[in-house]
């Protein structure tokens, strides 16, 4: 089935309630063994709430037909070395291995330009295939 990505500029458009329910439910807070995460480990879930509160950033929702199958988030983060656009995503276990994460990452770099990704033991192989090193940044030209 064909996939599409809906982009929400959170400064202009708050996602529909069913989209937010999906994002709030489908993240690393599930504590799934396949994610190698404990309940409460989801930085992306907390970042989403912060972006909704401040009305900043971009939310990318991946659809197969009408079914929500993944999501990503671009947020501006201020660090000692300046402001970066950070990208995080979550693709449910049953949807992995279909190229969906790469589609989300490509869309994020198209909209936000250069993004910084948070590389962990669980996603390092994925990001490495996309040309990212730990703590590295990525532009769409690498994808």
């Amino acid at each position: 089935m064909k996939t599409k990505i809906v982009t929400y500029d959170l400064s202009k458009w708050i996602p529909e309630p069913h989209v937010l329910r999906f994002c709030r439910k489908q993240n690393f807070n599930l504590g799934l063994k396949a994610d190698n995460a404990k309940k409460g480990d989801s930085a992306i879930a907390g970042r989403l709430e912060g972006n909704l509160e401040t009305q900043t950033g971009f939310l990318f929702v991946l659809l197969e037909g009408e079914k929500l199958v993944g999501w990503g988030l671009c947020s501006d983060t201020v660090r000692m070395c300046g402001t970066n656009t950070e990208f995080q995503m979550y693709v449910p276990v049953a949807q992995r291995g279909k190229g969906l994460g790469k589609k989300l990452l490509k869309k994020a770099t198209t909209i936000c330009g250069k993004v910084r990704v948070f590389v962990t033991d669980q996603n390092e192989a994925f990001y490495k295939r996309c040309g990212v090193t730990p703590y590295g940044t990525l532009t769409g030209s690498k994808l």
Side-chain angles (χ1 to χ4, degrees), residues 31-51:
L32 298 176
K33 189 173 185 177
D35 288 336
N36 196 20
K38 297 180 183 120
K39 283 191 178 255
D41 273 356
S42 188
I44 189 173
R47 184 69 56 142
L48 174 63
E49 297 308 321
N51 282 42

Side-chain angles (χ1 to χ4, degrees), residues 3 62 64 69 89 91 95 98-105:
T3 59
L62 189 58
E64 273 186 355
V69 293
M89 70 176 149
V91 176
Q95 301 297 329
K98 299 178 182 180
L100 302 178
K102 191 167 184 175
K103 286 181 183 182
L104 283 168
L105 186 56

Side-chain angles (χ1 to χ4, degrees), residues 27-29 40-49 71 73 86 88 118:
N27 61 67
F28 294 102
N29 277 338
D41 273 356
S42 188
I44 189 173
R47 184 69 56 142
L48 174 63
E49 297 308 321
W71 65 287
L73 184 67
E86 184 178 276
Q88 297 182 54
F118 185 71

Side-chain angles (χ1 to χ4, degrees), residues 3-108:
T3 59
K4 71 176 183 177
I5 297 175
V6 177
T7 301
Y8 296 90
D9 177 342
L10 298 176
S11 70
K12 299 176 183 174
W13 190 18
I14 299 299
E16 297 86 356
H18 76 281
V19 171
L20 292 176
R21 275 192 304 275
F22 173 81
C23 296
R24 287 174 174 142
K25 184 178 178 188
Q26 296 296 325
N27 61 67
F28 294 102
N29 277 338
L30 294 171
L32 298 176
K33 189 173 185 177
D35 288 336
N36 196 20
K38 297 180 183 120
K39 283 191 178 255
D41 273 356
S42 188
I44 189 173
R47 184 69 56 142
L48 174 63
E49 297 308 321
N51 282 42
L52 290 169
E53 185 177 310
T54 59
Q55 296 182 338
T56 58
F58 290 88
L59 174 65
F60 307 99
V61 179
L62 189 58
L63 299 159
E64 273 186 355
E66 295 299 313
K67 181 180 178 186
L68 298 161
V69 293
W71 65 287
L73 184 67
C74 277
S75 307
D76 285 338
T77 56
V78 179
R79 307 243 189 248
M80 289 174 36
C81 57
T83 301
N84 294 301
T85 299
E86 184 178 276
F87 175 72
Q88 297 182 54
M89 70 176 149
Y90 187 80
V91 176
V93 175
Q95 301 297 329
R96 294 179 190 169
K98 299 178 182 180
L100 302 178
K102 191 167 184 175
K103 286 181 183 182
L104 283 168
L105 186 56
K106 178 80 170 164
K107 184 67 165 187

